[in-house]
Amino acid sequence: MQAIIERIKAGAMWDFHGGIHPPENKAQSSHQPIREAGLPPELIIPVRQHAGPAGELLVQVGDRVKKGQPLTSWQGGRTVPVHASTSGTITAIGEQTVAHPSGLSDLCITLVPDGEESWCPRDPRPDYWNLERSELLARVQQAGIAGLGGAVFPTHSKLDGRGQRTEILIINGLECEPYITTDDRLMRDYATEVIEGIRVLRHLLGPKLCLIGIEDNKPEAIAALTAAIGEHDQDIMVRVTPTKYPSGGAKQTIEILTGRQVPKGGRAVDIGIMVLNVATVFAIKRAIVEGEPLIERLVTLTGETFRQPGNVWVRLGTPVRWLLQRFELQPEAEQRVIMGGPMMGFTLPHARVPVVKATNCLLAPSRAELPPPGPEQACIRCSACADACPATLLPQELYWYSRAREYDKVEALNLFDCIECGACAWVCPSEIPLVQYYKIAKDDIRESRAEAEKAERAKARFEAKQARFEREKAAREARHASAAANRRQVLTEAAGGDDPVAAALARVKAKQSGLTTQGALPGGAPDNEAVIAARAARKREAEARRAAKLAEQGTAATTQASDAAPLDADAAKKAALAAALARAKAKKAASAHSETPADVPSTSRDAAPAQPTPAPASTESESHDDPEARKKAAVAAAIARAKAKKAASAHSETSTDAPSASRDAAPAQPTPAPSSTESESQDDPEARKKAAVAAAIARAKAKKAASAQSETPVDAPSASRDAAPAQPTQAPAPTSTESSDDPEARKKAAVAAAIARAKAKKAASAHSEEPADTPSASRDAAPAQPTQAPAPASTESSDDPEARKKAAVAAAIARAKAKKAAMTQSNPTTADHEVGD
């Protein structure tokens, strides 16, 4: 760098690639002295006037503010505030159109001036050399200074220089854009203030050399600055360069004055060079030395439609319409107003937009002076754009890929090195607005990058959140473990030094060991054989009780089942079980009959053999879906019926040889136990009603049978020797729950019950009509005991405790009466007395 500085001091000058020479048209405004624009009736101040995020609002509607008072905050890296351009009242805060090529709106503060121009407190520091670097940067930021050459990059961030040392400080006064003369007039009229601002920067940055670049078409400015440089400013030099557009670009200025090129994608500070605009240097001087924030700037009003063109001091926020009227604009039809120069400016959407920090020129040309561009035509591949490009790019290829939105390729062609100078579009014979395509492509790429960065930040926040949760979880677990250890320590101390947890575990192990020793299996599991045996015994006892009850009901159910309609699969299963029980009981009865003692022949001849009654179908359902099992059950039932018939025939033959046995032994009169298994229709009131009716009928029949027995004629003693009265036995009520929802099964059960009742009635009638010549039979032989048909087993009232209780009481009463009648019949003496009475 020292060699370059020596060459610069020796007068060396360089050039850059490309460039053009458009008409300058600077004389319209450069020869007029600087004027004051005045105070408009209303100021519209956008909250964001720089390249960076806006600060938060510090005022509200209705607040009165002073001149220079900050309206937004400035905390943050690239945030700079905006200030009140004058004293007055805040009347509105809302969205309004701002000076931007997009024509979009942004948040703005509307300020109505009070005309007093009263300042807020200021803090001027003319002894800036006593201030630290950080304090100087903070003052620059608080003053709201951004680059006034057009880029409006926050100046305090630029001066910080990423912590790198600045070797050469360049003050850009070339002002190459046609029509614009603000820098020219500023250097002419305020040369001393410009040099003072350079001294502040020299103290802040400490460069080895300060260069002021000026094009050779500004002789008055060159002379004024040369004269303003003092004897102690030996390191400040004015460098005059040839006039060529766009020599005012930062990279092109560096290359002209130093011969160095900024690397692709880099910044000037990377090579130890700092570039600032003349207007920015002037604003720094005011902020540090005088304590005034940036509330106004110099604006060029030019174009043939202005009657009073020139350069004026304009308050930030001044509406463009008021400014045009103030300086006597004579508009044409479809008059254009361009903010900036003809090369890099843009046409305003309307004239109500406000003046901002980036506004350096308002151009109102006539149609003859600056004709609007013609229609876009096809590219002829002349390469004139590439020859004129000062950044040595390929505008033609950038145009093709930007138009096709192939942004990866435009980035590979260094699109962001384009300074949007418009030289390529100026020389294009097809009048293609090349710069517009480049701007759109840049905006799209920036937007996609912003979305990607936002996603990355969100991912980083999520991962940080998850890591925080893990840390908190680990901390909680550590706290819990520590608390548990403390509690354990306290318990240990209370227990006299023994660990309570270890003691508890030892007790549990000892208990388990004792169980294993006393009754556990070798593997350590408890021995449940005793429990299993007890359960099996209880089950056998229950089955025996059920078998006894079923045996008392006789064999009538078998006969009725054979006469009934065919049963379904569940009924077949029930019949098979009943047949099995019948076979067992028949075999037992035959065995008992064959073992009767010889000395009591009359008993064996006269006693009616026990009539096994099949047990009603049980509630098991192990094989009701097995056709083979049902077939076997049917065969067994047929064999049982045949054997029962044969046993009855043999018994009848034996009874003729012992005519008097019936007088001495009364056959057992089994009383049916009412069925109690219910689950078919728990919630059916009609079924509960039927159950109650059946119970009442059973009680009535038992009473009637007892009465008929007591009224048997005395003169019929031999009836029991000749014919055993029919013992009608009720058909057992269906007890299964499998067909609780089957209407057909319920219907069959009702039919079977009706048949049983009819047979019982018929048997009772036959018994009452015995011949009168056998009067003694009633004393010796038990009359037929019609047994009530038990109430059909149901579950209609399983959910009604009162109904279940009543049904149980009725069944118990019926059994008691039947038993009493049987006992009366078994005692002949009692029977004779009853008959005599």
Side-chain angles (χ1 to χ4, degrees), residues 234-257:
Q234 299 299 323
D235 55 348
I236 300 177
M237 299 178 59
V238 176
R239 302 291 293 173
V240 180
T241 66
T243 300
K244 185 172 69 169
Y245 181 83
S247 60
K251 294 181 179 180
Q252 287 69 38
T253 302
I254 292 172
E255 190 171 358
I256 291 174
L257 297 179

Side-chain angles (χ1 to χ4, degrees), residues 20-94:
I20 57 176
H21 296 83
E24 296 179 5
N25 294 322
K26 293 181 179 288
Q28 296 181 15
S29 58
S30 62
H31 298 305
Q32 303 294 330
I34 297 176
R35 293 168 288 178
E36 290 285 344
L39 191 63
E42 183 182 70
L43 293 169
I44 303 171
I45 305 173
V47 298
R48 191 170 75 92
Q49 302 183 31
H50 62 281
E56 295 183 0
L57 289 172
L58 300 178
V59 294
Q60 298 178 352
V61 176
D63 290 351
R64 292 186 58 84
V65 295
K66 298 290 187 179
K67 184 177 181 180
Q69 178 179 335
L71 304 179
T72 60
S73 63
W74 56 88
Q75 285 77 15
R78 294 176 55 189
T79 302
V80 295
V82 294
H83 301 78
S85 303
T86 185
S87 60
T89 305
I90 305 298
T91 59
I93 299 176

Side-chain angles (χ1 to χ4, degrees), residues 394-402 410 413 438:
L394 298 174
Q396 180 180 349
E397 293 189 21
L398 290 173
Y399 159 68
W400 290 337
Y401 293 134
S402 297
V410 298
L413 292 171
Y438 305 155

